[in-house]
Amino acid sequence: MMEDTLRVVHCGGSELNFRRAVFSADSKFIFCVSGDFVKVYSTATEECVHMLHGHRNLVTGIQLNPNNHLQLYSCSVDGTIKLWDYLDGILIKTFVVGHKLHALFTPASAEDSVFATITKEKPDVFQLVSVKLPKSSNQEIEAKEVSFVLDYINESPKCIAFGNKGEYVAAVRDFYLSVYFFKKKTTSRFTLSSSRNKKHSKNNFTCVACHPKEDCIASGHKDGKIRLWRNFDDDKKYTYTCLHWHHDMVMDLAFSVTGNSLLSGGRESVLVEWRDATEKNKEFLPRLGATIEHISVSPAGDLFCTSHSDNKIIVIHRNLEASAVIQGLVKDRSIFTGMMIDPRTKALVLNGKPGHLQFYSLQNDKQLYNLDIIQQEYINDYGLIQIELTKAAFGCQGNWLATVEQRQEKETELELQMKLWTYNKKTQGFVLNTRVNMPHEDHITALCFRNAEKSETPTLVTASKDGHFKVWILTDDSDIYKKAVGWTCDFVGNYHKYQATNCCFSEDGSVLAVSFEEIVTIWDSETWELKCTFCQRAGKIRHLCFGRLTCSKYLLGATEKDILCCWNLLSCALEWSTKLNVRVMEPDPSSENIAAISQSTVGSDLFVFKPSEPRPLCIQKNITREEVHWGVFVPRDVPESFTSEAYQWLNRSQFYFLTKSQSLLTFSTKSPEEKLTPTSKQLLAEESLPTTPFYFILGKHRQQQDEKLNETSGNELVQLPLTENIPEINELLHTPAHVLPSASFLCSMFINSLLLSKETKSTKEISDDVVMEEEKESVDSDEENDFIEEVQDTKNTDLEEDIIHQLSKSEEKELRKLRKVDYSWITAL
Amino acid sequence: MAAGGRSSGDPLSPAGVPCAFSPQSQALFALASTDGHLRVWETANNRLHQEYVPSAHLSGTCTCLAWAPGRLQAKESHQRKKRKSEAIGTGDQADLLALGTAVGSILLYSTVKGELHSKLISGGHDNKVNCIQWHQDNGCLYSCSDDKHIVEWNTQTCKVKCKWKGDNSSVSSLCISPNGKMLLSAGRTIKLWVLETKEIYRHFTGHATPVSSLMFTTIRPPNESQPFDGITGLYFLSGAVHDRLLNVWQVRSENKEKNAVMSFTVTDEPVYIDLTLSENKEEPVKLAVVCRDGQVHLFEHILNGYCKKPLTSNCTIQIATPGKGKKSTPKPIPILAAGFCSDKMSLLLVYGNWFQPTIERVALNSKEPHMCLVRDISNCWMPKVETAVTKVRTPVMNSEAKILVPGIPGHRAAIKPAFPQTEELESKRKLGENEVSIEERLGAMDIDAKKEKATRPQTNSFPVLLAQGLESNDFEMLNKVLQTKNLNLIKKTVLRMPLHAVIPLLQELTKRLQGHPNSAVLMVQWLKCVLTVHASYLSTLPDLVPQLGTLYQLMESRVKTFQKLSHLHGKLILLITQVSASEKTKGATCPEQKAKLVYEEESSEEESDDELADKDSDDNWDEDEEEEESEKDEDVDEEEDEDAEEKDENGEDRDVTSEKELNGDSDLDPENESEEE
């Protein structure tokens, strides 16, 4: 295998909830921006059908092409607007605008231009402009013709809406609503009468939507009210009505396609449908799990979708029933638990929804499920102090899961709870075994299981800021009623009132290391006797881990004063130490390697080393500019076989890390080209679906019509045979060139073979009909994209075109007319 | 990868429905059930991914299915120098699923879009499709049918590329050679076709019944010395309907040998077979065979030439329900399919009913020849609509879970009896004496109690009742005594109770204190009395620490929030009661205590009492005075003082406890306990 340089690649995708999702015209697909890509999901299966990649920076807006519903526009911060064929995932055109684009609007009324939000001089002053898209067959077109529409607007596309047939555009910002009328070329500005009043200072505008049929603008406000504006073409006679259900900010608004109902959502995680724009007729879809960020409506009107703050999109049926969930890696909240691997499912486990652990399959890059640990109704409200899931650990090959949850309202009022779950093989799920209230008097800083191969009693150690560490063991809890096991505390240890900051077991489980601020203590795990202490006076210990396999005699500690120490447990002496600002230190479970990520001013660097060797195996500078918070080694299912020394550490396992902005990254050695090539090998199968009952009726009918047409047009349309079945052509093409007779000799034979005999025609009619159908379809879809002339049968295209050219345009029109005329009455006669 | 079993025979039997794992990563499992529905399950979380009902599902039920070799979906883009935003490729993701139907049509279903992709009918089969195989490279599809023909389809155009007669009877199974140049078909005999020319290359005969499955087991010939032409020397496997033998055949260069090389024996007709290809000579072929009786047989064998005796399985896996009690006996749960994971070390098992199968990953590391997994699938029938949409799983939190709150034994480490080694030097002599004396004393007390009972049958006297209740552990009797609210009565009872009952009483009180707080209120009175009255007795007990450790922890955790106040309160009470008690006891003596053991006891007890008193005076009296003093100025600098003192005391406490925990030899002095009421 060719080994390229080690590269950092994204995993788990970027956030899906950055902008409103867009439905395709037939509601089969849903598009959403995701980092530098546009993702095409199937609404039926929740699967990602295509990833449109081509933008070089964050994609900030997507809209369907109003002139061709099979195409999609996207705009990006890189200053381009791209046109895509989303069915095949092909880039059709690129329009280079040159400004940073922040939002895109394609109202149907504006024929050859689109609207975009740009920043001109200052970085935070946004303008709405119309961009004229020139028609050209080139793939990359300059679109510099930019005309200014509105100034000083909000960046978010939620604050701009195009009204009834594109006659006006409404934009909101802070305390006013501005409406620009394209015909009159005037701007009206409306403010709420109470906005200057301090008492009502919370009624900032947050979002706006325009009624698709009437002159009506709906605006959402920070105080939870929705106002419906009418008569706004008159500066004085304008009116508004108020709808109030939300108690917190209205995050997004959307009118249904017909305009009969208005959808709104906010932090309450409830989708509210206002029927007929009255306060009385409300329908709710509650318990959507997280704050509704965006709402969009499919053009066909049968589906809605809501984008949520926990990185998911819920597809909702017209009757307010959730039908599908497209869930990315949950990125809503900070990660306290760190990343771990569930030994059973091999899934990545970390904090997910509030109070949940999420299980994320790295193999399929897909969330498996959220495990509800806290099991309390989550109240979506600002400023509430919630119970947080702070620690979790798997033990004994995934048979045990320990979780710690805490809630702290005031300094002295700490609520702590530790839960120990056992995996029940019979029911294939976790069952609570022991619940410990206040296992410690202060925050728990570390949690680890003894993962020894030997089948001993399961042991768990918790370290806490209260200065103690506790050893919990599984004991027999049977009584006369039932056989049971439960966890009890076996030992409480401390060291001179110092806070316990870290704990970890050696690989064989014989030794426990607990760090108390600056001091590392080593305890015998049989008798819980203090064996020895290490102290380097180099700051509090931040990370602590034992070496593995041949390096199991080494203990590594990274301190807050940027020192990485390695102690030898046999000699009880410091083996080596180095100055390194370690942020993440993770041992590889299947090798001796240890990965450390250090933080410098320019970015984070990765060091992979063996504790026994002075030289690191691999140094990767500047893997990301952000701070790295967590890392984990994931064992590979099928080991790789890199030979070069720098990559050998990736043979058995893969290293994943999570940055401050919660993007999950990993290393890949495959070149991008290598990953790209198999797409050409992608299985291409043409769609051919002949089989609805309607088709049987209509198809036969049309066949007759076509026959008639063929007759009337004097057999001008010649039916083409399939070249594959003609032996002469096969012979010609499959014989090597050097053994072929001269071309002049073959010519007549070849031409003859292309001519049609009467018999073949009748048998091929069915298939030819299909071919014609497809032609027609492809003409429809490729109306604009002339450059992708689908190369179907290279040999036949020329001939085919000739024949088509034989028909003059007028004749063709006539033919179409004839086709449309219903001849069924003739058969009835 | 794995060929689906054919649906034949009994529709009620769950085994034998067409099903298959998606290739490469086995992320999906497709199952076409007898009701005509196609269901695709996610193997990782056992969730129904999608369900599809073909329009003609009643007339043309699905008879076989096969996953397309895979598609590449998510692509990586070039890494820009500026931004490091790049997506990882998710690897091959299966998309197209080919379904053969009973009427001869073949459907291509897209699992990504969730809709029918295309339908292959024109020029195809006019009878039941028996088997479908995708070509691994060129996107062709091969199908065979009851109409005796084999059809080669071009899936790009959805047209027939070639159709030829495969056998004189129906063709039941197909398999493509690892290099993609040959095709195995099974009808009456097994034939090996050259795909390019559609000519027969070899014949194999051996099965009496229709062959239901065919599979190549190796991709390299056993001896690598000869040049490899892509087919010679390879082994393949065949299973047949109603046949309990799986035959292994070898393609040989000379066309002489037509019989099977070896065979595997299983318990019933094989319905689903999966294997791991061996890539070199040393690596054994691993074979998992699901039989109609719902068992899985695992074989591990290095294929090298003949073996006359049929091989039996290395391991058999069965699944059964848990039998609860005597009423319900364990019932077997049929396994529907089994597929090896890509690491070759674990097996995906699909079991249960086809309506809602359970998919589980089982690690194959045990050497035992029989694995019986007990699984409870009773709740699998519950509709899971809610979870399907929200993707939330709720682990079970039942009342059987053990709950540890501060104070309950187990929340903190139990105070263990002191190890004799740790307290060797200092107190060896003393301890020895003590131990003997206490034994004797306890013995004497037992006699005492009996005597007491015999001489005074005063049943409703509280001390007697209490002693009897503690002895017999009679709950009602104890309730009668302990639930009294009369403070005087409590005092008197405690005063008159026999000494040997003190420890049992304390233990009983501890148990009750852990219970409901309402009842605990009453117990506190008792506890207070016992500790104040019998402090001297308790301090003489050498094993007091383990005996009363839980009580100590309980009190500590309960009074943690108002520690300081309770300390003061406790000390004051102690002072007052001791003063008043000493005055009273001068006059009244306990008549029951007979001086039988006086001569020894006195000496030892005095000694220890003295010691204790010394200790007390050292430790506490000064402090008490201090506290009293400080109480006076408390108005002025209350808070500061409190803080300071709290720290002091905390520190002291910690010292005491840590000392105790580490050395385990210091007696827990009763002062501490009474203080903290």
Side-chain angles (χ1 to χ4, degrees), chain A residues 302-313:
Chain A
D302 56 341
L303 295 177
F304 308 135
C305 81
T306 51
S307 309
H308 296 262
S309 59
D310 62 351
N311 204 14
K312 76 177 168 205
I313 297 172

Side-chain angles (χ1 to χ4, degrees), chain B residues 55-239:
Chain B
S55 57
H57 68 283
L58 294 177
S59 56
T61 50
C62 177
T63 52
C64 54
L65 54 83
W67 287 91
R71 70 160 194 159
L72 222 85
Q73 180 236 358
K75 303 129 203 170
E76 262 187 305
S77 74
H78 277 274
Q79 188 186 13
R80 308 290 157 203
K81 275 171 196 162
K82 224 173 69 192
R83 285 186 59 85
K84 306 211 165 184
S85 153
E86 195 175 3
I88 190 171
T90 53
D92 292 320
Q93 210 183 26
D95 179 7
L96 281 187
L97 193 61
L99 309 168
T101 63
V103 290
S105 60
I106 294 169
L107 312 175
L108 296 184
Y109 174 76
S110 163
T111 51
V112 168
K113 291 178 186 162
E115 59 186 24
L116 200 61
H117 191 79
S118 49
K119 197 165 178 179
L120 313 177
I121 18 170
S122 57
H125 299 292
D126 43 18
N127 208 335
K128 192 177 98 181
V129 181
N130 281 329
C131 185
I132 298 176
Q133 287 290 325
W134 288 85
H135 194 280
Q136 49 265 57
D137 304 318
N138 60 11
C140 282
L141 185 76
Y142 295 87
S143 65
C144 62
S145 158
D146 273 357
D147 67 1
K148 306 172 191 175
H149 282 81
I150 301 171
V151 176
E152 182 182 28
W153 300 88
N154 183 346
T155 50
Q156 290 179 25
T157 56
C158 301
K159 296 210 171 69
V160 175
K161 255 173 111 178
C162 188
K163 182 175 176 179
W164 72 96
K165 193 170 176 184
D167 210 301
N168 287 327
S169 64
S170 64
V171 185
S172 57
S173 189
L174 290 176
C175 183
I176 293 166
S177 73
N179 66 349
K181 299 246 169 75
M182 301 268 185
L183 176 77
L184 273 175
S185 77
R188 191 150 287 170
T189 60
I190 299 173
K191 291 170 184 166
L192 184 63
W193 304 83
V194 180
L195 272 182
E196 204 175 327
T197 56
K198 318 290 190 285
E199 281 165 350
I200 296 177
Y201 184 71
R202 292 282 183 276
H203 271 291
F204 304 92
T205 46
H207 281 291
T209 47
V211 174
S212 58
S213 48
L214 279 176
M215 231 174 230
F216 272 94
T217 55
T218 47
I219 54 172
R220 305 227 134 261
N223 50 347
E224 277 138 10
S225 55
Q226 293 166 1
F228 179 48
D229 64 347
I231 190 74
T232 308
L234 293 191
Y235 291 93
F236 69 88
L237 184 88
S238 68

